[in-house]
Amino acid sequence: MSDRHHRHEHGHHRASPLHRLAHLLTPHSHETADRLDSALESSARGMRALWVSLAVLGVTALAQAAVVAVSGSVALLGDTVHNAADALTAVPLGIAFVLGRRAATRRFTYGYGRAEDLAGIAIVLTIAASAAFAGWTALDRLLDPRPVAHVPVVAVAALAGFAGNEWVARYRIRVGRDIGSAALVADGLHARTDGFTSLAVLLGAGGSALGWRYADPVVGLAITAAIVFVLRDAAREVFRRVMDAVDPALVDRAERALTAVPGVRGVGELRLRWIGHRLRAEVAVVVDGGATVREAHRVAVEAEHALLHAVPRLTAALVHADPEPVPGAADPHLPLAHHAVR
């Protein structure tokens, strides 16, 4: 038995005590319009975060590029390229957020939230390309070392890169966690790593100032290695999303919420999946075998309602009610056994 009534968007869930108190004191509506408004607001916040961070990183990269042109620093060039690539990741994510606002259709019955996962793949490829370019440039300069000019200006540009990336990282991570976007959080962590690679450029500038001509390309290679580590982590997160992985703690939380519902005598198969930055659930609950259809339906509705309140960013749950097994009776699902995937 399934139920699609009274679904509730909890993308606004936060951990602060004041917010939880306000959540308890504020009347709640479970109407479709409210769910859509909340989903649109989360996408709008994501878009704002993307465009603001794009502007900040764009200005930072342009300023660094100007210093690269006059100094010839390949360490700063690698950092500039990575900052520019990080800024451009706003484009596929922005497209994904726009697509995610579209309503489900008869062809795309789950909507377009998966576009966010595709954007994650594009981000991984962008990081890989920036790593390849930075590494190639550093190796070329290591084989053919050249002096770095305007070392103090390079140091200032490196500090500017750190400041811009750290601000963007904080902003993206905060908004990403608020709306449940793993892609936006990962992009924020990526920006934070970029900030530390900007600080690494300072080491290259210091080495150049001391007369070590290999300092700049060696730091450029170190930055390339840092980008590769970011690439590994980002690829792992994107792979998990594409494969429908969720935090096991969410599954435990959902099970506890279901077992506390009056009338639920057991929890069978429970599945959670991310679609963009929102969760969906499918679950089978065990109810009294002698219950009427209306009683079983009521339990299913209460189970869904409990899930929507217990699991952050869950927007929909499909609840199937199974009768409590009777000793000696045939399994009611036996006619489906030959359809099971082996």
Side-chain angles (χ1 to χ4, degrees), residues 20-76:
R20 288 199 295 268
L21 179 61
H23 183 77
L24 290 172
L25 297 178
T26 304
H28 284 64
S29 171
H30 300 277
E31 297 300 323
T32 302
D34 295 321
R35 295 200 311 274
L36 289 176
D37 287 345
S38 182
L40 289 173
E41 174 59 24
S42 66
S43 295
R45 288 191 64 195
M47 289 292 291
R48 284 195 298 271
L50 288 175
W51 298 130
V52 170
S53 59
L54 172 64
V56 172
L57 287 179
V59 170
T60 301
L62 286 174
Q64 289 183 316
V67 177
V68 169
V70 299
S71 68
S73 170
V74 293
L76 186 60

Side-chain angles (χ1 to χ4, degrees), residues 147-214:
V148 176
H150 306 288
V151 172
V153 181
V154 173
V156 172
L159 288 173
F162 171 75
N165 275 289
E166 181 59 22
W167 188 91
V168 166
R170 289 174 179 267
Y171 186 38
R172 285 180 175 178
I173 291 170
R174 183 179 72 250
V175 175
R177 286 175 177 167
D178 283 348
I179 68 174
S181 173
L184 191 55
V185 171
D187 221 18
L189 294 172
H190 176 203
R192 173 158 290 161
T193 304
D194 290 350
F196 288 112
T197 59
S198 294
L199 289 181
V201 176
L202 282 175
L203 297 177
S208 297
L210 294 174
W212 187 38
R213 61 178 183 170
Y214 291 106

Side-chain angles (χ1 to χ4, degrees), residues 72-324:
S73 170
V74 293
L76 186 60
L77 175 61
D79 192 41
T80 302
V81 170
H82 202 195
N83 285 336
D86 194 28
L88 291 176
T89 57
V91 176
L93 268 178
I95 294 172
F97 280 134
V98 171
L99 284 176
R101 298 178 181 183
R102 298 181 62 181
T105 65
R106 292 183 65 84
R107 180 177 295 276
F108 297 96
T109 54
Y110 280 94
Y112 294 82
R114 284 290 188 186
E116 202 168 315
D117 299 326
L118 296 178
I121 295 174
I123 290 171
V124 168
L125 294 177
T126 302
I127 298 172
S130 65
F133 180 80
W136 177 83
T137 306
L139 282 173
D140 179 67
R141 188 60 60 87
L142 190 63
L143 296 174
D144 183 20
R146 279 163 277 177
V148 176
H150 306 288
V151 172
V153 181
V154 173
V156 172
L159 288 173
F162 171 75
N165 275 289
E166 181 59 22
W167 188 91
V168 166
R170 289 174 179 267
Y171 186 38
R172 285 180 175 178
I173 291 170
R174 183 179 72 250
V175 175
R177 286 175 177 167
D178 283 348
I179 68 174
S181 173
L184 191 55
V185 171
D187 221 18
L189 294 172
H190 176 203
R192 173 158 290 161
T193 304
D194 290 350
F196 288 112
T197 59
S198 294
L199 289 181
V201 176
L202 282 175
L203 297 177
S208 297
L210 294 174
W212 187 38
R213 61 178 183 170
Y214 291 106
D216 188 61
V218 166
V219 171
L221 288 175
I223 290 175
T224 301
I227 298 174
V228 170
F229 280 113
V230 172
L231 174 63
R232 181 200 62 184
D233 293 339
R236 180 177 57 197
E237 290 303 315
V238 170
F239 174 78
R240 287 176 176 173
R241 276 299 176 93
V242 171
M243 294 300 293
D244 287 329
V246 297
D247 185 351
L250 285 178
V251 181
D252 296 337
R253 188 171 183 172
E255 287 179 340
R256 288 194 298 269
L258 289 168
T259 54
V261 174
V264 173
R265 301 191 176 184
V267 179
E269 188 174 62
L270 171 60
R271 294 181 179 181
L272 295 172
R273 66 161 44 172
W274 286 99
I275 299 180
H277 51 272
R278 292 184 285 274
L279 276 168
R280 292 182 67 93
E282 298 175 7
V283 60
V285 295
V286 179
V287 301
D288 182 5
T292 64
V293 172
R294 290 186 182 277
E295 290 171 344
H297 179 266
R298 177 188 57 78
V299 173
V301 169
E302 291 183 2
E304 182 179 3
H305 194 191
L307 278 179
L308 292 168
H309 276 282
V311 181
R313 291 175 289 277
L314 181 69
T315 57
L318 184 65
V319 181
H320 175 83
D322 284 330
E324 193 171 24

